[in-house]
Amino acid sequence: MQLSEQEIIRREKLQSLRDLGINPYPADLFPVNHTSKQVKESFEEGKKVVVAGRLMSVRDQGKAAFAELQDSEGRIQLYFNRDMICPDEDKTKYVQVFRKLTDLGDFIGVEGELFLTKVGEKCIRVDDFTFLSKTLRPLPLPKTDETGKVYDAFTDAELRYRMRYVDLVVNPQVKEVFMKRTKLFSAMRTFFNNAGYMEVETPVLQSIPGGAAARPFITHHNSLDIPLYMRIANELYLKRLIVGGFDGVYEFSKNFRNEGMDRTHNPEFTAMEIYVAYKDYNWMMTMTENLLEYCALQVNGTTEATFGEHKVDFKAPYARVTMTDAIKQFTGFDITGKTEAELFEAAKSMGIEVNETMGKGKLIDEIFGEKCEGNFIQPTFITDYPKEMSPLCKSHRDNPELTERFELMVCGKEIANAYSELNDPIDQRERFEAQMALAEKGDDEANGIIDEDFLRALEYGMPPTSGLGIGMDRLIMFLTNNPSIQEVLFFPQMRPEKKGPELTEDEKHIIEILKANEGIQIGDLKEKSGLSGKKWDAASKGLSKHGLMKVVVDGDAKIVEYLGK
């Protein structure tokens, strides 16, 4: 393994600590009794505290130093004084251990007394400190100049997602998103539990990938010698529990779909599905808007949220628009009673890409998606979908060509899907068979497998039921103003990491400046880097050798171009 200069130095310091008899990775419990937040909230001069965390900055003043310690709840200032830490003649612990062998990013434990600095900042006067973990790689810490401008911020999206552990340390604001994500799950659980519904677990490995139309991940069970599928949805199992006698069940399920990836789709995602007996989709609409109003308040303290350029209000009630009316409003075309051929021609005339594998449901879905979906910014229920689009949904009580289904649209995206559930086993079999016919026709989104056990369960009788599914990742995107799903997943799926050349810290530093300053002159680049002449020469030659940087002469100017991605 090729190490950078900084990594080599840190390993040398590691050995020096051991030579001094200091274990850089002690096994002992460290008796923390305060967090940085608790220190500040219950501050009392002279109070003794024990804290621990990462050392994030040091202002060395010789015999004394100010530093910042970061823990899970923020930062607190520390004051180190040589003679307080080393009251005897032996000053090794301060001079050698703290000043020479401690690096930014190291975990230390601190015991000390609270006091206010001359400028009124809450601070811990350190009586003693303990090494808890030596870091062998330097953190990519941003720097701020005297004008407040930030340099070298850790902002490269791919690096942030690959190294979320670093992202969380150097960009502490990222934590807020995931804290809100936890609040969302907690709020939803509280809402359902207070209503008397039961949280359950259903299989992740399934013999038939049912409950949605999606391409599954396939694996193999060696002992049973059968193929198994990672679940694409948990719907059919939750309905089995309604058959079994539960009045209301819900589950936060990890689902897996072997399909494309983009800013709103990850192959592994979290959905919440709930099924309540003796209810219909009208009741479920009211419950959904009350649920989301409650969750928004619990997560953000307000029903209003900002998403991109839009202000969204989750306060109930929400508008309700039928799919037929939505298409008529934005295209002027009435889908009522139209044949597959008429829908095909209509979609084609609207400039929508269509092909012969598409049935009525798919054609209507394409028209709505292309021409209508993006127009619904405030939370809006789109209701009464054509039967061909909803194989698990009950026929509409007033129009047999439609189903009792709604989707909740926010900022042009679907975040919830709900039905009056189909509980007629004969009708359900016919719908499954129609889906099989579409699959045989070539529709890769149609489910070509009939779940015989689910049909058998329905034949034992399922009461009238309404079900709801919510995409939890997408919902938290809206509540935290994040347009990318990768921002709300701790560890999003990434392409395999390409092994490029091993770069030194100086080379990485120059690359970050180049990424932030397109077309920079070579003199300005050298000045911004802050490197000595010798270090600059070595780093710039290294980047040129790796094919990552070149200098282009433009008249009297020498412009540096970054050749990486």
Side-chain angles (χ1 to χ4, degrees):
M1 181 173 61
Q2 186 177 350
L3 300 176
S4 69
E5 181 183 358
Q6 278 287 326
E7 289 168 332
I8 292 169
I9 291 172
R10 287 187 179 224
R11 280 164 170 76
E12 290 171 351
K13 290 182 179 181
L14 178 74
Q15 187 56 50
S16 296
L17 287 168
R18 287 181 167 139
D19 292 344
L20 287 170
I22 297 171
N23 184 353
Y25 307 105
D28 318 46
L29 171 151
F30 188 77
V32 174
N33 61 20
H34 281 73
T35 65
S36 59
K37 184 178 179 182
Q38 289 168 340
V39 167
K40 293 174 182 177
E41 288 181 347
S42 60
F43 184 84
E44 182 184 331
E45 282 210 75
K47 182 179 178 181
K48 295 283 189 179
V49 297
V50 182
V51 299
R54 285 185 188 270
L55 199 62
M56 297 300 285
S57 71
V58 175
R59 300 191 303 280
D60 193 345
Q61 300 171 354
K63 295 181 182 180
F66 281 97
E68 274 190 310
L69 190 79
Q70 178 172 298
D71 62 14
S72 63
E73 295 192 346
R75 293 190 181 190
I76 187 71
Q77 184 168 262
L78 309 177
Y79 174 69
F80 290 82
N81 182 283
R82 184 192 67 179
D83 296 328
M84 294 189 68
I85 291 172
C86 307
D88 300 325
E89 288 187 16
D90 185 359
K91 309 297 182 183
T92 301
K93 188 160 190 177
Y94 180 83
V95 175
Q96 285 293 113
V97 179
F98 176 69
R99 291 192 67 202
K100 296 183 179 179
L101 301 181
T102 304
D103 290 300
L104 300 186
D106 288 349
F107 280 90
I108 62 171
V110 166
E111 301 170 52
E113 186 177 290
L114 301 185
F115 76 103
L116 284 174
T117 65
K118 291 179 180 178
V119 294
E121 186 167 356
K122 295 171 182 177
C123 190
I124 301 174
R125 183 182 292 110
V126 178
D127 295 326
D128 195 13
F129 70 94
T130 303
F131 240 100
L132 299 178
S133 182
K134 180 70 180 166
T135 57
L136 301 183
R137 288 177 181 262
L139 290 167
L141 292 171
K143 303 173 184 65
T144 306
D145 64 18
E146 61 277 1
T147 67
K149 188 173 182 180
V150 177
Y151 294 93
D152 305 332
F154 188 60
T155 56
D156 184 277
E158 183 167 343
L159 287 177
R160 288 181 51 242
Y161 303 152
R162 285 193 192 282
M163 299 191 292
R164 183 67 84 186
Y165 40 88
V166 174
D167 187 31
L168 291 165
V169 174
V170 302
N171 295 320
Q173 72 278 6
V174 171
K175 275 188 179 179
E176 183 67 22
V177 172
F178 295 100
M179 291 169 69
K180 287 187 174 183
R181 184 184 174 107
T182 296
K183 286 181 180 179
L184 173 62
F185 281 74
S186 178
M188 206 170 275
R189 277 194 172 94
T190 299
F191 187 93
F192 292 147
N193 292 344
N194 288 345
Y197 308 135
M198 179 175 169
E199 184 172 7
V200 298
E201 294 178 293
T202 62
V204 173
L205 290 174
Q206 302 180 353
S207 57
I208 293 175
R215 184 180 299 133
F217 287 93
I218 306 172
T219 186
H220 185 83
H221 192 288
N222 291 334
S223 295
L224 296 177
D225 193 24
I226 58 170
L228 289 175
Y229 304 88
M230 302 288 283
R231 80 175 155 208
I232 57 175
N234 56 351
E235 175 171 347
L236 302 187
Y237 282 94
L238 292 176
K239 288 182 184 177
R240 286 171 169 91
L241 297 179
I242 298 296
V243 171
F246 289 100
D247 281 349
V249 292
Y250 72 95
E251 180 178 19
F252 293 99
S253 68
K254 281 290 185 185
N255 296 342
F256 306 85
R257 297 185 181 178
N258 196 358
E259 298 172 343
M261 292 169 53
D262 57 32
R263 289 168 67 83
T264 58
H265 294 88
N266 194 64
E268 175 184 350
F269 63 96
T270 305
M272 185 290 303
E273 292 203 23
I274 182 169
Y275 293 82
V276 185
Y278 312 112
K279 308 298 183 187
D280 66 4
Y281 81 138
N282 292 311
W283 176 90
M284 188 61 82
M285 272 187 266
T286 301
M287 193 278 284
T288 301
E289 59 195 8
N290 289 335
L291 168 68
L292 294 185
E293 177 182 329
Y294 174 80
C295 288
L297 284 168
Q298 295 302 307
V299 171
N300 288 329
T302 173
T303 60
E304 295 182 346
T306 299
F307 187 72
E309 61 185 19
H310 301 299
K311 292 279 188 183
V312 177
D313 194 344
F314 285 97
K315 185 171 180 57
Y318 305 158
R320 304 182 183 191
V321 181
T322 69
M323 174 163 277
T324 300
D325 287 345
I327 292 175
K328 193 184 299 182
Q329 178 185 351
F330 293 107
T331 71
F333 180 72
D334 188 350
I335 62 174
T336 306
K338 295 297 188 291
T339 65
E340 184 177 308
E342 288 171 321
L343 290 167
F344 186 92
E345 289 304 319
K348 197 172 175 182
S349 70
M350 295 175 198
I352 298 171
E353 192 173 324
V354 292
N355 60 62
E356 62 280 355
T357 69
M358 295 180 177
K360 287 180 67 175
K362 179 68 172 172
L363 290 165
I364 294 169
D365 192 27
E366 288 295 314
I367 293 171
F368 178 78
E370 288 281 336
K371 301 297 181 181
C372 309
E373 200 170 71
N375 295 296
F376 296 102
I377 304 304
Q378 296 303 317
T380 304
F381 292 117
I382 304 299
T383 69
D384 302 347
Y385 282 54
K387 185 177 288 188
E388 294 83 0
M389 295 179 67
S390 313
L392 296 168
C393 187
K394 185 170 284 190
S395 296
H396 197 283
R397 65 196 75 179
D398 299 323
N399 185 343
E401 290 189 358
L402 304 177
T403 57
E404 296 199 348
R405 173 186 178 186
F406 72 79
E407 287 186 318
L408 178 62
M409 310 300 297
V410 179
C411 292
K413 300 290 184 183
E414 172 225 330
I415 61 170
N417 188 20
Y419 308 155
S420 293
E421 301 295 337
L422 181 57
N423 61 344
D424 178 342
I426 295 173
D427 189 358
Q428 181 65 84
R429 180 176 291 278
E430 290 171 353
R431 304 274 195 98
F432 279 157
E433 289 170 348
Q435 285 288 299
M436 283 193 71
L438 286 173
E440 290 167 3
K441 186 179 176 181
D443 186 344
D444 60 2
E445 291 190 7
N447 195 328
I449 304 174
I450 293 180
D451 189 335
E452 292 290 349
D453 181 68
F454 174 66
L455 290 172
R456 179 170 57 192
L458 285 187
E459 289 170 358
Y460 280 98
M462 185 175 85
T465 298
S466 186
L468 167 74
I470 292 178
M472 299 299 291
D473 306 315
R474 190 168 288 181
L475 178 55
I476 197 62
M477 287 167 63
F478 286 119
L479 291 175
T480 59
N481 194 15
N482 275 300
S484 171
I485 193 172
Q486 286 84 6
E487 292 288 351
V488 300
L489 301 175
F490 269 129
F491 304 106
Q493 192 65 47
M494 305 289 290
R495 295 183 187 278
E497 191 171 359
K498 290 182 179 178
K499 293 296 182 182
E502 290 282 347
L503 302 179
T504 66
E505 291 305 312
D506 291 339
E507 289 168 348
K508 293 176 185 175
H509 176 50
I510 291 173
I511 283 176
E512 288 303 313
I513 298 173
L514 285 171
K515 285 181 178 179
N517 298 271
E518 188 176 344
I520 188 172
Q521 292 201 43
I522 193 166
D524 294 337
L525 176 60
K526 183 176 179 181
E527 184 180 345
K528 280 181 177 290
S529 74
L531 298 175
S532 67
K534 188 175 180 180
K535 286 188 173 185
W536 163 259
D537 289 342
S540 58
K541 285 177 183 176
L543 290 174
S544 298
K545 180 182 175 182
H546 293 314
L548 294 174
M549 177 182 114
K550 75 172 182 179
V551 179
V552 178
V553 178
D554 183 9
D556 294 333
K558 292 182 178 179
I559 307 298
V560 183
E561 292 184 356
Y562 176 54
L563 303 179
K565 291 183 178 179

